[in-house]
Amino acid sequence: IIKTESEIKKMKVSGKIAAEVLEMIENYIKPNISTEEINNICHNFIIKKKAVSACLGYHGFPKSICISVNDVVCHGIPNKNQILKSGDIVNIDVTIIKKNYHADTSKMFLVGQTNILSQRLCKIAQESLYKSLNILKPGIPLYKIGEVIQNYVENNNFSVVKEYCGHGIGRAFHEEPYVLHYKNKSHVILEKGMIFTIEPMINAGSHEVKCMKDGWTVKTKDHSLSAQYEHTVLITENGCDILTWQKNEKIPSKFINK
Ligand SMILES: CCc1ccsc1-c1ccc(O)c(O)c1
Ligand SMILES: [Mn+2]
Ligand SMILES: [Mn+2]
């Protein structure tokens, strides 16, 4: 769905708030904090920004953000008995609504001392998102996103989760176009004014996942680590505008359009 100029203005405001939640929480991500506490800190910040969480109550989700630790792929439920420890890798996924317009973003946080595999998995996951962001402009086919991500991830001996995808976003949390993170044959062509997320989930082992009995928590089938990064992007005249960009976020120069 193509957004009008006034809708784009509102989406930029929402995107900034969602990015600020992830910037704000950074200093709290240390050993011995519970994921429930992280949820509450983020919830209160969102309220202070006169916004609301889009996750709370969405299909019955019980908390305000998703926190997915280690082999949890996505939709981890904040829990007072889940205490972060040194070596954990943690995805915090934030979706807020401000004046009816959504913005959705997530990133990885490394707790204390993490091992080389954890660091490499997070790096490749983030770079796969950046490589896809770098090709975005009106006229390119949507399937190029999945092609770029899957090629980069598999060339680095990791795998791409297939069960979950990126999505159009605006007045609704999820709308067309749906954005696959692996090779596909979508006929959709990117147009100026399109707004959607790209949110690749990358596993250290097999791409296979399974949902836990709580009906939410998704884990890797082989218990390997998983990492995810997500941005909400706007397709512009000559490229894209990352609406959930963080102030100190930088695309390593090797990914800047030559
Ligand atoms: C907790 C929100 C939720 C519930 C069912 S799917 C989902 C979700 C979580 C993170 C997302 O980035 C997303 O697009 C959807
Ligand atoms: Mn998200
Ligand atoms: Mn999303």
Side-chain angles (χ1 to χ4, degrees), residues 95-110:
T95 310
I96 64 98
I97 313 169
K98 172 93 176 178
K99 293 194 174 123
N100 291 319
Y101 284 84
H102 292 68
D104 183 358
T105 184
S106 87
K107 65 178 280 192
M108 297 303 288
F109 295 89
L110 281 69

Side-chain angles (χ1 to χ4, degrees), residues 93 95 104 165 167 173-174 197 199 230:
D93 197 332
T95 310
D104 183 358
C165 58
H167 49 90
F173 192 163
H174 298 98
T197 70
E199 47 183 297
E230 176 177 26

Side-chain angles (χ1 to χ4, degrees), residues 154-180:
E154 292 186 353
N155 288 346
N156 283 283
N157 300 316
F158 292 138
S159 63
V160 180
V161 171
K162 295 180 166 52
E163 278 76 0
Y164 302 92
C165 58
H167 49 90
I169 187 168
R171 297 178 69 88
F173 192 163
H174 298 98
E175 59 186 34
E176 299 283 330
Y178 290 92
V179 182
L180 299 182

